[in-house]
Amino acid sequence: MLKIDPSGLTLHPLKLASSSSLAVGAAVAAIGDPFGYARSISTGIVSGVDRTIQAPNGFTVAHAIQTDAALNPGNSGGPLLNASGEVVGIVDQIATDGNADQSSGVGFAVPIDLVKSQLSALEAGKQVSHAYLGVATSDATSGGATLGQVDSGGPAEKAGLQAGDVVTKLGDTTVNSSSDLVAAIADHAPGDQVKVTLRRGSRTLERTVTLGTQPAQTASAG
């Protein structure tokens, strides 16, 4: 979050659109300084929506926008624009095979709706926090998210969740995969109490979890 003195300047702020209506195939453009080439623009389309990607701190990020617009070092933090020149996302990262750090045609942006939900806190100088369940998960073969690692002392363990449990619902959201669980957690705030429906062997159980605050670094996925 930057604050500038607009005195003597003629500014034309970009309009923040809604990212909720983005459709696959929609035209987008990214502006940034890739490899130091100032104010470069690249164009492409929305390749996917509601992607779940891994952040550098080990946590997973839900609702990401995928694009094939060329994104390179120097694009991160820049706007992703729709065909009307409105901001629909903030460029975040690219996918690589581990041997390259330049555009692979698979780039991601944080949806602007998520950014807008946090602007008031940032403008007030507050630190943005994210909800935390304290688990690592994988897709269950029969639908749901299988808990692998349950962090010691974390919200899930305190509520009685165990490794091997299969989460099928969190709050009002049906969980069909690990990505669904990540997205459901992201839609809540630290301190929220949510009901978790799970399968444990042949039993269906329900637990109430008080979501924590996501720490700075973890090896878990949620």
Side-chain angles (χ1 to χ4, degrees):
M1 176 68 69
L2 300 177
K3 183 177 182 180
I4 65 170
D5 182 359
S7 302
L9 301 175
T10 302
L11 302 178
H12 302 281
L14 293 171
K15 180 180 179 182
L16 304 184
S18 173
S19 50
S20 62
S21 59
L22 273 181
V24 174
V28 290
I31 297 176
D33 302 339
F35 300 116
Y37 293 101
R39 307 300 182 267
S40 296
I41 186 169
S42 59
T43 61
I45 62 169
V46 174
S47 305
V49 294
D50 276 330
R51 297 302 198 200
T52 300
I53 59 176
Q54 186 171 32
N57 66 355
F59 283 102
T60 42
V61 179
H63 305 308
I65 302 166
Q66 181 187 337
T67 179
D68 66 350
L71 305 179
N72 292 290
N75 278 112
S76 295
L80 186 70
L81 310 173
N82 62 17
S84 299
E86 302 166 327
V87 181
V88 292
I90 303 296
V91 172
D92 185 35
Q93 63 187 70
I94 60 175
T96 72
D97 61 1
N99 298 315
D101 59 0
Q102 57 189 2
S103 175
S104 60
V106 183
F108 300 97
V110 177
I112 201 63
D113 287 349
L114 177 59
V115 176
K116 287 193 290 187
S117 70
Q118 300 172 345
L119 280 178
S120 58
L122 291 171
E123 289 170 346
K126 298 178 181 178
Q127 185 174 356
V128 173
S129 58
H130 303 281
Y132 167 67
L133 182 60
V135 297
T137 65
S138 60
D139 292 343
T141 55
S142 55
T146 301
L147 303 187
Q149 176 182 325
V150 178
D151 292 350
S152 177
E157 186 190 58
K158 290 179 180 178
L161 276 65
Q162 302 174 6
D165 289 345
V166 178
V167 176
T168 57
K169 192 172 184 179
L170 188 140
D172 295 327
T173 303
T174 298
V175 174
N176 294 311
S177 65
S178 182
S179 294
D180 286 347
L181 180 59
V182 172
I185 295 169
D187 289 336
H188 287 275
D192 284 355
Q193 287 191 331
V194 293
K195 288 185 178 180
V196 177
T197 303
L198 57 93
R199 296 195 305 268
R200 181 177 296 169
S202 60
R203 295 182 295 164
T204 297
L205 306 175
E206 192 174 82
R207 297 286 186 266
T208 298
V209 178
T210 301
L211 296 174
T213 299
Q214 187 182 95
Q217 193 81 23
T218 187
S220 299

